[in-house]
Coordinates of all heavy atoms in Angstrom, one line a residue:
A252 N -11.6 140.9 11.4 CA -13.0 141.0 11.9 C -13.8 141.8 10.8 O -13.5 142.9 10.4 CB -13.1 141.8 13.2
T253 N -14.8 141.1 10.3 CA -15.6 141.6 9.2 C -17.1 141.7 9.6 O -17.6 140.8 10.1 CB -15.5 140.7 7.9 OG1 -14.1 140.6 7.6 CG2 -16.2 141.3 6.7
Q254 N -17.7 142.9 9.5 CA -19.1 143.1 9.8 C -20.0 142.3 8.8 O -19.8 142.4 7.6 CB -19.4 144.5 9.8 CG -20.9 144.8 10.1 CD -21.3 144.4 11.5 OE1 -20.6 144.7 12.5 NE2 -22.4 143.6 11.6
T255 N -20.9 141.5 9.4 CA -21.9 140.9 8.5 C -22.9 141.9 8.1 O -23.1 142.9 8.8 CB -22.6 139.7 9.3 OG1 -23.1 140.2 10.5 CG2 -21.7 138.5 9.5
I256 N -23.4 141.7 6.9 CA -24.3 142.7 6.3 C -25.7 142.1 6.2 O -25.9 140.9 6.4 CB -23.8 143.1 4.9 CG1 -23.8 141.9 3.9 CG2 -22.5 143.8 4.9 CD1 -23.6 142.3 2.5
S257 N -26.6 143.0 6.0 CA -28.0 142.5 5.9 C -28.7 143.3 4.8 O -28.1 144.3 4.2 CB -28.8 142.8 7.2 OG -28.7 144.1 7.6
L258 N -29.9 143.0 4.5 CA -30.7 143.8 3.6 C -31.6 144.7 4.4 O -32.1 144.3 5.4 CB -31.6 142.8 2.7 CG -30.9 141.8 1.8 CD1 -31.9 140.9 1.2 CD2 -30.1 142.5 0.7
M259 N -31.7 145.9 3.9 CA -32.5 146.9 4.6 C -33.8 147.1 3.7 O -33.6 147.5 2.5 CB -31.8 148.1 4.9 CG -32.6 149.2 5.6 SD -33.2 148.7 7.2 CE -31.9 149.2 8.3
G260 N -34.9 147.0 4.2 CA -36.1 147.2 3.5 C -36.6 148.6 3.4 O -36.0 149.5 4.0
Y261 N -37.6 148.8 2.6 CA -38.2 150.2 2.5 C -39.6 150.0 2.3 O -40.1 148.9 1.9 CB -37.5 151.0 1.4 CG -37.6 150.4 0.1 CD1 -38.7 150.6 -0.8 CD2 -36.6 149.5 -0.4 CE1 -38.7 150.0 -2.0 CE2 -36.6 149.0 -1.7 CZ -37.7 149.2 -2.5 OH -37.8 148.6 -3.7
K262 N -40.4 151.0 2.5 CA -41.8 150.9 2.2 C -42.1 152.1 1.3 O -41.8 153.2 1.5 CB -42.6 151.1 3.5 CG -42.3 150.0 4.5 CD -43.0 150.2 5.8 CE -42.7 149.1 6.8 NZ -41.7 149.5 7.8
M263 N -42.7 151.7 0.2 CA -43.2 152.7 -0.8 C -44.6 152.3 -1.2 O -44.9 151.2 -1.5 CB -42.3 152.6 -2.0 CG -42.6 153.7 -3.0 SD -41.4 153.8 -4.3 CE -41.8 152.4 -5.4
L264 N -45.4 153.3 -1.2 CA -46.8 153.0 -1.6 C -47.1 153.9 -2.8 O -46.8 155.1 -2.9 CB -47.8 153.4 -0.5 CG -47.7 152.5 0.7 CD1 -48.3 153.2 2.0 CD2 -48.5 151.2 0.4
G265 N -47.8 153.3 -3.8 CA -48.2 154.0 -4.9 C -49.6 153.8 -5.3 O -50.2 152.8 -4.8
V266 N -50.2 154.6 -6.0 CA -51.6 154.5 -6.4 C -51.7 154.4 -7.9 O -51.1 155.2 -8.7 CB -52.4 155.8 -6.0 CG1 -53.8 155.7 -6.4 CG2 -52.4 155.9 -4.4
N267 N -52.3 153.4 -8.3 CA -52.5 153.1 -9.8 C -53.4 154.2 -10.4 O -54.5 154.5 -9.9 CB -53.2 151.7 -10.0 CG -53.3 151.3 -11.4 OD1 -53.5 152.2 -12.3 ND2 -53.3 150.0 -11.7
K268 N -52.9 154.8 -11.4 CA -53.6 156.0 -12.0 C -54.9 155.5 -12.6 O -55.8 156.3 -12.9 CB -52.7 156.7 -13.0 CG -52.4 155.9 -14.3 CD -51.6 156.7 -15.2 CE -51.4 156.0 -16.5 NZ -50.7 156.7 -17.5
N269 N -55.1 154.2 -12.9 CA -56.2 153.7 -13.5 C -57.3 153.2 -12.5 O -58.3 152.6 -13.0 CB -55.9 152.6 -14.5 CG -55.0 153.2 -15.6 OD1 -55.3 154.3 -16.2 ND2 -54.0 152.4 -16.0
T270 N -57.1 153.4 -11.3 CA -58.0 152.8 -10.3 C -59.4 153.5 -10.4 O -59.5 154.7 -10.8 CB -57.4 153.0 -8.8 OG1 -58.4 152.4 -7.9 CG2 -57.3 154.5 -8.5
K271 N -60.4 152.7 -10.1 CA -61.8 153.2 -10.1 C -62.0 154.1 -8.9 O -63.0 154.9 -8.9 CB -62.8 152.1 -10.2 CG -62.8 151.3 -11.5 CD -63.7 150.1 -11.4 CE -65.2 150.4 -11.0 NZ -66.1 149.2 -11.0
Y272 N -61.2 154.0 -7.9 CA -61.4 154.7 -6.7 C -60.2 155.5 -6.3 O -59.5 155.2 -5.2 CB -61.8 153.7 -5.5 CG -63.0 152.9 -5.9 CD1 -62.8 151.6 -6.3 CD2 -64.3 153.4 -5.9 CE1 -63.9 150.8 -6.7 CE2 -65.3 152.6 -6.3 CZ -65.1 151.3 -6.7 OH -66.2 150.5 -7.1
P273 N -59.8 156.5 -7.0 CA -58.5 157.2 -6.7 C -58.5 158.0 -5.4 O -57.5 158.0 -4.7 CB -58.4 158.2 -7.9 CG -59.7 158.4 -8.4 CD -60.5 157.1 -8.2
N274 N -59.7 158.5 -5.0 CA -59.7 159.2 -3.7 C -59.5 158.3 -2.5 O -58.7 158.6 -1.6 CB -61.0 160.0 -3.5 CG -61.1 161.1 -4.5 OD1 -60.1 161.6 -5.1 ND2 -62.4 161.5 -4.8
T275 N -60.1 157.1 -2.6 CA -59.9 156.1 -1.5 C -58.5 155.6 -1.5 O -57.9 155.5 -0.4 CB -60.9 155.0 -1.7 OG1 -62.3 155.5 -1.8 CG2 -60.8 153.9 -0.7
A276 N -58.0 155.4 -2.7 CA -56.6 154.8 -2.8 C -55.6 155.9 -2.2 O -54.7 155.5 -1.5 CB -56.2 154.5 -4.2
H277 N -55.8 157.1 -2.6 CA -54.9 158.2 -2.1 C -55.0 158.3 -0.5 O -54.0 158.5 0.2 CB -55.2 159.5 -2.8 CG -54.6 159.6 -4.1 ND1 -55.3 159.5 -5.3 CD2 -53.3 159.8 -4.5 CE1 -54.5 159.6 -6.3 NE2 -53.3 159.8 -5.9

């Protein structure tokens, strides 16, 4: 008996340092 595996996602958010709107992005 072998357990089937899956992919586990993640959520990561980043802000581009070159954005014109850093405060809004943050």
Side-chain angles (χ1 to χ4, degrees):
T253 304
Q254 178 61 52
T255 51
I256 62 170
S257 58
L258 298 174
M259 181 60 93
Y261 59 89
K262 297 174 182 99
M263 183 171 79
L264 291 161
V266 174
N267 184 330
K268 69 178 183 174
N269 298 317
T270 182
K271 289 173 60 175
Y272 306 103
N274 292 338
T275 302
H277 282 105

